[in-house]
Amino acid sequence: MSKIAVLGGGLSGRLIAFQLAEQGVAVELFEKGERNGAQAAAYVAAAMLAPSSEAVEATPEVIRLGRQSFALWRDILGRLNTPVMMQEKGSLIVWHTQDKPLSAEFARHLKRGGVPEHETIRWNADEIAANEPQLAGRFSDGLYLPAEGQLDGRQVLNALADALASMNVPCHWLCEREVEDLAAQYDWVIDCRGYGAKAAWNRPSESQLRGIRGEVARVYAPEVELSRPVRLLHPRYPLYIAPKENHIFVIGATQIESESQAPASVRSGLELLSALYAVHPAFGEANLLELATGLRPTLNHHNPEIRFNRERRLIEVNGLFRHGFMISPAVTGAAVRLAVALFAGSDIPESDETSGLPYIRATN
């Protein structure tokens, strides 16, 4: 039986280790950070499952993977013993009166992105009030996207760690390793380090990996009740608000083309929280729990990639960008199917039959 090392214990690494262990594969996980996943991009993420909203900017490949992953998440969470919040109440897009032209542009982008008409429902002020009472009177109309949802990302990371422990998968937390360190001890290495693999990934003539900075706030707002994620269209400060359990809200904005890992600036914090206050003034009394930053591992084409090298006995999974939770089950499922075929010495197809993701033969 092949003995596998998964390098990187963020969301992708934990999912791959979990799925391999379920198939009886001898696997060990190595992660430079702590068990709670605080050093992973997934720890900062809002964990929204929003393939319709993301169709405005994301590639068709990413949207396809996002739609596949929605049902896969239900199945995965059903196999975990630790409870995880999964909400399937859609999402609401709103805008202030002066920004109404942005809604028409947003709707055009949705149509161009292939979102079906039945997944784009116009709500008037009364419908907004009926479905989100605390937004009553604040917005004259909005767009409801029913085929969306969200997870509690930190609960997912914890539940996967619990599952690996219950399956007796050795997990080496606070243990930084390189591919070369593990290659001599294991039959195969699966590299899931995200941005941490930048130096190893950026080889000549292959897709270049970079980090794109995201800034996210977490607040505790006991006076605010939202039933679903809300996105605010704004010419300068578009943002999303993802309500978690116990009145915790995760708030984020668009990505920043920067690899800086410095703390969030005062200016960006003011802009983010000012836009939040404009959605509902009760957020002004919220407790600011975190203002965190993270780097999303991004390839130049903004699609994920799965690469493999038989000679080096190496599989690499990367480039999930800001869509980690939205697409990870489809991506990691494809990686696991590739791994099982490689372990068996089988011929590898050009792409994964289930997800459509190409399998890329690395050049060195």
Side-chain angles (χ1 to χ4, degrees):
M1 178 184 293
S2 295
K3 187 177 180 183
I4 314 305
V6 174
L7 182 55
L11 178 61
S12 295
R14 294 181 196 215
L15 276 171
I16 286 174
F18 170 68
Q19 292 168 297
L20 286 173
E22 283 189 311
Q23 297 192 36
V25 176
V27 59
E28 295 192 29
L29 181 71
F30 293 83
E31 164 56 33
K32 70 177 182 180
E34 300 179 18
R35 185 186 193 273
N36 65 3
Q39 287 191 291
Y43 190 80
V44 178
M48 293 189 297
L49 310 178
S52 297
S53 299
E54 292 299 324
V56 171
E57 294 184 351
T59 68
E61 292 80 5
V62 164
I63 300 309
R64 184 187 72 247
L65 294 169
R67 292 183 178 279
Q68 292 175 8
S69 293
F70 212 110
L72 294 174
W73 269 123
R74 293 192 206 105
D75 184 54
I76 290 168
L77 298 187
R79 306 199 307 267
L80 301 177
N81 292 325
T82 305
V84 173
M85 183 203 83
M86 182 175 181
Q87 189 182 75
E88 300 183 57
K89 297 182 179 180
S91 60
L92 175 63
I93 317 299
V94 295
W95 51 86
H96 296 298
T97 302
Q98 66 271 23
D99 298 323
K100 189 176 180 65
L102 295 176
S103 69
E105 181 183 3
F106 188 85
R108 286 195 297 271
H109 283 308
L110 291 179
K111 186 175 182 179
R112 189 162 58 245
V115 179
E117 286 190 13
H118 69 272
E119 292 183 11
T120 307
I121 302 171
R122 181 76 63 165
W123 277 357
N124 60 30
D126 290 340
E127 289 167 316
I128 292 175
N131 289 280
E132 294 291 355
Q134 288 201 325
L135 298 183
R138 302 197 60 78
F139 303 99
S140 60
D141 52 353
L143 283 175
Y144 173 57
L145 307 179
E148 298 198 334
Q150 64 162 330
L151 302 163
D152 187 305
R154 295 184 180 181
Q155 289 181 2
V156 171
L157 292 173
N158 179 62
L160 287 169
D162 287 348
L164 292 171
S166 70
M167 299 165 81
N168 297 315
V169 173
C171 294
H172 306 278
W173 311 114
L174 298 172
C175 184
E176 186 168 8
R177 292 288 186 272
E178 296 294 332
V179 170
E180 293 73 20
D181 300 333
L182 301 173
Q185 305 172 50
Y186 296 86
D187 297 305
W188 282 84
V189 177
I190 305 178
D191 188 351
C192 301
R193 289 176 294 168
Y195 181 73
K198 180 180 178 180
W201 188 276
N202 288 345
R203 299 189 286 269
S205 75
E206 296 180 350
S207 300
Q208 298 298 294
L209 181 72
R210 70 189 191 280
I212 291 186
R213 179 180 169 97
E215 299 179 341
V216 175
R218 283 179 179 261
V219 304
Y220 170 63
E223 297 181 10
V224 181
E225 291 275 0
L226 293 175
S227 301
R228 55 186 55 79
V230 174
R231 292 178 183 252
L232 175 68
L233 301 182
H234 189 281
R236 290 186 61 194
Y237 315 130
L239 85 163
Y240 56 77
I241 306 168
K244 307 303 180 183
E245 294 177 324
N246 302 316
H247 297 279
I248 302 296
F249 296 82
V250 180
I251 303 99
T254 55
Q255 66 269 10
I256 302 168
E257 196 64 61
S258 169
E259 292 188 321
S260 170
Q261 299 190 60
S265 68
V266 171
R267 177 180 177 180
S268 63
L270 284 171
E271 292 175 349
L272 188 66
L273 297 176
S274 295
L276 174 65
Y277 180 77
V279 172
H280 198 296
F283 278 115
E285 303 303 317
N287 300 127
L288 180 58
L289 304 178
E290 294 178 25
L291 189 55
T293 63
L295 292 180
R296 291 83 169 259
T298 309
L299 297 168
N300 51 359
H301 46 57
H302 286 188
N303 288 323
E305 281 189 6
I306 301 174
R307 305 191 315 199
F308 70 97
N309 188 310
R310 286 187 187 269
E311 290 71 31
R312 297 181 66 199
R313 293 174 291 119
L314 174 66
I315 300 169
E316 299 167 293
V317 182
N318 217 318
L320 276 71
F321 187 24
R322 70 181 189 200
H323 310 299
F325 279 98
M326 190 177 86
I327 67 175
S328 55
V331 175
T332 60
V336 167
R337 287 186 286 274
L338 170 65
V340 170
L342 286 168
F343 305 161
S346 304
D347 291 336
I348 304 302
E350 292 298 316
S351 62
D352 176 51
E353 182 177 350
T354 303
S355 69
L357 268 171
Y359 291 140
I360 299 171
R361 290 166 171 78
T363 56
N364 56 24

